[in-house]
Amino acid sequence: MTNQEDIAHSISQVRNKIEDAARETSKLPDNISLCAVSKTFPIGTIQAAIAAGQRVFGENRVQEAEVKWPNLKKEWPDIELHLIGPLQTNKVRKAVSLFDVIQTVDREKLARTLAKEMTISGRQLPCYVQVNTGGEPQKAGLTPSDVNSFVTLCREEIGLKIVGLMCIPPYGEEPSTHFALLQDMADQLKLPDLSMG
């Protein structure tokens, strides 16, 4: 198989697993989106994924994304690019101009800087609040106990469009417990979307 065939096959396998898992939990597969993490991958590999029908991608760093994505997004305007890595406030302007979704809102200063830049640019991006469900000191994200008050602050005072919660469970732990916790918090807050890596 060529690299493009390998990538198309891999994407197909992941989509099949998503459909199987959705059926087991009585969820609709159409409500589940696969965000392909393209960080560290070259443009040729990303183009092969696009050719295989993938349209939602996640990048970890603004600097890497600004090298790879402007031309790709011009060529494929239906691409949805998510920032899935930590965002420094000094990179907010570039992030708001380049990304379509910000998944890593985790502190008030960042939320306020994002809201200000979105107002200036006229781009109101959907945002996720990052939750550190495992309490890992090396990971960004709010503790579960701080999520309700932070989402309320973002919605009611700061004016960010918070659409969901995001978490990356600790390596080596059963992820389903973390995913269930995130789902419970989202349900309480009436947030429609979850990003679970």
Side-chain angles (χ1 to χ4, degrees), residues 63-109:
Q63 304 91 301
E64 183 179 348
E66 67 183 334
V67 170
K68 296 191 301 195
W69 283 100
N71 289 333
L72 288 169
K73 288 183 79 177
K74 278 182 194 166
E75 193 170 346
W76 289 282
D78 60 336
I79 293 291
E80 185 176 281
L81 187 60
H82 293 231
L83 177 62
I84 59 170
L87 178 58
Q88 299 169 339
T89 53
N90 66 344
K91 299 275 193 298
V92 161
R93 179 172 293 153
K94 287 180 182 178
V96 169
S97 69
L98 181 60
F99 290 92
D100 302 298
V101 178
I102 307 291
Q103 287 201 17
T104 53
V105 180
D106 65 350
R107 59 200 184 281
E108 184 177 345
K109 182 179 179 185

Side-chain angles (χ1 to χ4, degrees), residues 3-73:
N3 186 40
Q4 187 161 339
E5 289 170 333
D6 284 342
I7 290 167
H9 179 71
S10 294
I11 290 172
S12 177
Q13 283 185 313
V14 171
R15 290 190 190 284
N16 289 338
K17 286 180 181 179
I18 289 170
E19 287 178 18
D20 291 344
R23 274 192 290 278
E24 286 176 18
T25 60
S26 303
K27 297 213 184 279
L28 297 173
D30 293 346
N31 293 340
I32 300 169
S33 176
L34 171 63
C35 182
V37 177
S38 52
K39 66 176 185 174
T40 74
F41 286 97
I43 289 173
T45 303
I46 295 168
Q47 288 170 321
I50 293 169
Q54 182 63 32
R55 290 295 181 271
V56 180
F57 291 88
E59 283 284 343
N60 224 35
R61 304 177 77 188
V62 173
Q63 304 91 301
E64 183 179 348
E66 67 183 334
V67 170
K68 296 191 301 195
W69 283 100
N71 289 333
L72 288 169
K73 288 183 79 177

Side-chain angles (χ1 to χ4, degrees), residues 84 86 103-107 128-148 150-151 164-171 173-175 177-183 185 194-197:
I84 59 170
Q103 287 201 17
T104 53
V105 180
D106 65 350
R107 59 200 184 281
Y128 290 68
V129 169
Q130 184 174 359
V131 185
N132 187 343
T133 57
E136 296 174 278
Q138 76 277 16
K139 279 189 185 170
L142 294 160
T143 63
S145 62
D146 291 332
V147 171
N148 283 4
F150 184 72
V151 169
L165 303 176
M166 177 269 233
C167 80
I168 303 168
Y171 181 77
E173 285 190 24
E174 174 54 48
T177 8
H178 296 273
F179 296 162
L181 173 62
L182 204 69
Q183 179 72 65
M185 289 188 288
L194 297 173
S195 174
M196 303 185 290

